[in-house]
Amino acid sequence: MKKTLFDKVWDSHVVKKVLNGPDVLFIDRHLVHEVTSPVAFLGLKNRNIKVLYPERTFATADHNTPTINQHLPVKDPLSANQLKALEQNAKEHQIPYWGLGHEKNGIVHVIGPENGITLPGATIVCGDSHTSTHGAFGAIAFGIGTSEVEMVLASQCIMQPKPKSMRITINGTLNSAVTPKDVALYIISKLSTSGATGYFVEYAGDVFRQMSMEGRMTVCNLSIEMGARGGMIAPDKKTFDYIKDREFTPKGLDWDKAMNYWNTLYTDDNSVFDHEVTFNGEDIEPMITYGTNPGMGIGISGGIPKSDAIKGGAATYKKSLQYMNFEEGDNMLGKEIDFVFLGSCTNGRIEDFRAFASLVKGRRKANNVTAWLVPGSHKVEDAIKKEGLLDILNEAGFELREPGCSACLAMNDDKIPAGKYAVSTSNRNFEGRQGPGARTLLASPLVAAAAAVTGRVTDPRELMIFETA
Amino acid sequence: MAYDKFKILSTTAVPLPIENVDTDQIIPARFLKATERKGFGDNLFRDWRYHPDNTPKEQFVLNNPIYKGKILVGGKNFGSGSSREHAAWAIYDYGFRCVVSSFFADIFRGNCMNIGVLPVQVSPEFLIKIFEAIEVDPNTEFEVNLPEQTFTIKSTGEKESFEINDYKKENLLNGFDDIDYLLNIKNEIESFAKGTPL
C-alpha cells in the first residue's frame, strides 16, 4: 500500500488503536519547559508515580527567563518560582536539565535540533504549539497540553486520533529577499489561520528542497499558525549532514542502522492526501502582517485589504484594524515603527542573524527604534560571535541579549509598550501578545533589519545590492 | 486531574460573537506563571475584561450581569494559537462547562476534553441561531445532552447533534482521564518501547 511520509512515521508509533477512539501513540522524545510542566509533575506526585522513561525527556528554561543579566537571581518571584520548580522536578525525576547559564540552554525548539535530540522519523512532543518546528527533520512533532505532558511523563504515550493529511507543494525559485519566513506567511495568508486545522502537513517541492535546515525549521514552526497539528519535510542529505555527530544522535553502527530507516522516510509515489495545495515560488514577495492574527499578511508593497474583500466576519476584521490603528487600504510601506524584535523559535537561529547582519552592515540603527536581538540559544550566541556578526551589529548600533523566548510572548520583562509598533520575526501578532496593547507586525529578519535601520516599514530590496547575472 | 462528570447541562449561555479568539486572549501569557492549577478564572479574557488599571471594561460581556450561565458561545476558530492548557483551565475555573462554536482549533479542543470542558461544534447556521436567541432573550436556556449528543435551544426546541468519539464520551460521562487508561496498559507500552531505540 502507498504511504505518505506522515503515515509511515505515525503508523510505526501506534501502540494500540482504541475502538471508536484515538490511537495510543508512543513518543520517542519529549521536551519540557518551565511554564507548561509544573502542573504535570504535580499530577505525577498526586498519583504517586515516577517518570517512566526519564532518558526520553529533556528540560530547558526559556519562556519566562530574563534576557539580560542571566547570571543574577531572577527578579520576578513568580518566574523564579517556576524555574525552581522545573529544576527540582528534573532533579527528582532524573531528567537532563539545561537551566539558565547552562551552555546548552536556549529556546526549546532551537536546542532540540542543535543537540541532536530531534531526529528523522521520531515522534516528538512538548507543551508548546511551536513544537511543529522539529518536523523540518522528517519527525512528527506537535504541541500538547499539560494533561498530555503528564501522560508522556507517566507513560511515554499520548492518545490522539490520527489527523488528516495535507500536502503543500511549492515549486519554482524564490525571488531575491524572499526568505522561508515569507514563504510561511504567504501560505498562511492564503489558507487562513484555520485552513489546515485537523490536518498534518507535508511540505514538498523545489522551494523546500532547496531550503536550508534552518529555513525548513522556520516553515514547519509556523504550521500551527494555519491551524495544522504540525508540518514535516522528508529528510534528505541536508538533514543527515545537519544532525550527524551531534550529541544525542546515534553513532557508529547505530547511525548506519538509523540511516537505513531514515532513507525510507518519503511519501511513496501516487500516495493520496486528504487535501493538496499548490503555490508558485515566484509569486511570493517579502511579507508583512497588518492585523491581529498571522493570516492577516500581505506582500510588503501591497495595501491593507478592504473589509468587503475579506472572507469571514467584517466585525472581527474591523476590531482587528482598530486595535492596530490602521485603515483599510493603507499602504504598509512607510509606516513608522518603534521596536524591532529579532529572535524566537521561528527566527532565532544563526541564519536569521546572518540575514539581519547582512542588511544592517555599514548602516546605523534608526534613532526612533528600540531593537531587541535575542539569540535562540547559547550555541547561536556563540556562533554570532565566532562569525564576526556581533561586531557588525555593534558597529551598526545594535546589542545582543541573552537567549530565551523573550518578547515573542512577553512573559519576562521584554514587553512592547501599549500602542507601540514592533516589527517582529516571531510567530504571533495576537492582541497583547508582545505586551498589553502592543502592536505586532510579523516579518522576516530582512524586513526587520530594513525597519531597524530606517525606522519605518521598508522593502528590504531597496537596501540590498543584487549581483547581476 | 479528576473533574466533574458531564451528562446533561441545562443553562443560559454567554455570547462572544468574535472569530479567531486565540488562547492569548483567553489567558494572556503573563498569567501563566503559577505552578499549581488555581485561580486562572480570575484572569480569563483579562485584557478584554479589564482596563490596564484593573477596573472592569463595562462593555465586555463577562462584565455584563445580564449574561450568565455555564456555556460560552464563541465565533469561528475558537481557541487558536498557543497550546497552553491554562486557557481551558481558565474557562473551567470561571465556571463554564461547555464551549460552543462552529469551529475549534485542534489543541484547544483536545485540552478542553482532557479537563472536563465539553467543546460542542455546531453548524455556522445553528451558531447564528444561538447568538440570535441570546440576543432576543439573555435568559434563554440551552440543553447540552452528552449521552444523546445534542444541543438544544430550549425556547424554540431547535436542536442539532454534535460529534464526539465514543472513547472521549465515556471519559467525560464518567470523569475518567487518559492517564487512567494509559497506566492500565503500561505492560503493552513497555513491550512496545523495547522495540523502539532512543
Side-chain angles (χ1 to χ4, degrees), chain A residues 28-138:
Chain A
D28 291 314
R29 286 177 172 184
H30 180 211
L31 302 159
V32 296
H33 61 83
E34 74 276 21
V35 174
T36 57
S37 69
V39 172
F41 282 109
L42 203 60
L44 294 189
K45 197 174 172 185
N46 292 338
R47 290 173 202 260
N48 197 23
I49 49 178
K50 300 287 287 178
V51 174
L52 185 61
Y53 297 115
E55 68 278 17
R56 291 180 181 274
T57 291
F58 301 82
T60 188
D62 58 0
H63 275 62
N64 68 27
T65 53
T67 56
I68 46 169
N69 294 326
Q70 286 187 352
H71 59 288
L72 299 176
V74 174
K75 276 189 213 154
D76 173 25
L78 290 175
S79 297
N81 185 43
Q82 221 170 31
L83 293 166
K84 200 172 168 206
L86 180 61
E87 189 175 358
Q88 281 172 348
N89 287 327
K91 197 173 168 191
E92 185 184 336
H93 293 277
Q94 295 170 312
I95 292 166
Y97 170 66
W98 305 332
L100 272 187
H102 192 285
E103 59 176 14
K104 292 198 203 84
N105 177 258
I107 303 174
V108 62
H109 310 309
V110 176
I111 64 165
E114 76 188 4
N115 289 293
I117 296 166
T118 307
L119 297 176
T123 47
I124 301 168
V125 293
C126 171
D128 186 282
S129 60
H130 293 107
T131 308
S132 57
T133 312
H134 308 264
F137 294 79

Side-chain angles (χ1 to χ4, degrees), chain A residues 20 28 47 56 76 79 82 128-129 145-147 150 155 159 193 198 229 313 316 411 428 430-431 433, chain B residues 19 22 24-25 32-34 48 77 81-83 85 106-107 111 166-167 177 179-181 189 193 196 198:
Chain A
N20 298 322
D28 291 314
R47 290 173 202 260
R56 291 180 181 274
D76 173 25
S79 297
Q82 221 170 31
D128 186 282
S129 60
T146 297
S147 294
E150 188 181 340
S155 71
M159 303 184 70
T193 52
R229 215 61 222 288
T316 301
M411 273 195 84
R428 287 185 176 136
F430 297 150
E431 284 184 33
R433 169 80 178 184
Chain B
E19 294 175 7
D22 59 76
D24 274 85
Q25 307 316 313
L32 307 183
K33 295 185 181 184
W48 286 357
N77 196 27
S82 156
S83 61
E85 196 168 292
D106 267 344
I107 304 180
N111 286 343
D166 292 351
Y167 166 82
D177 68 23
I179 300 185
D180 300 330
Y181 182 96
I189 294 170
T196 311
L198 196 62

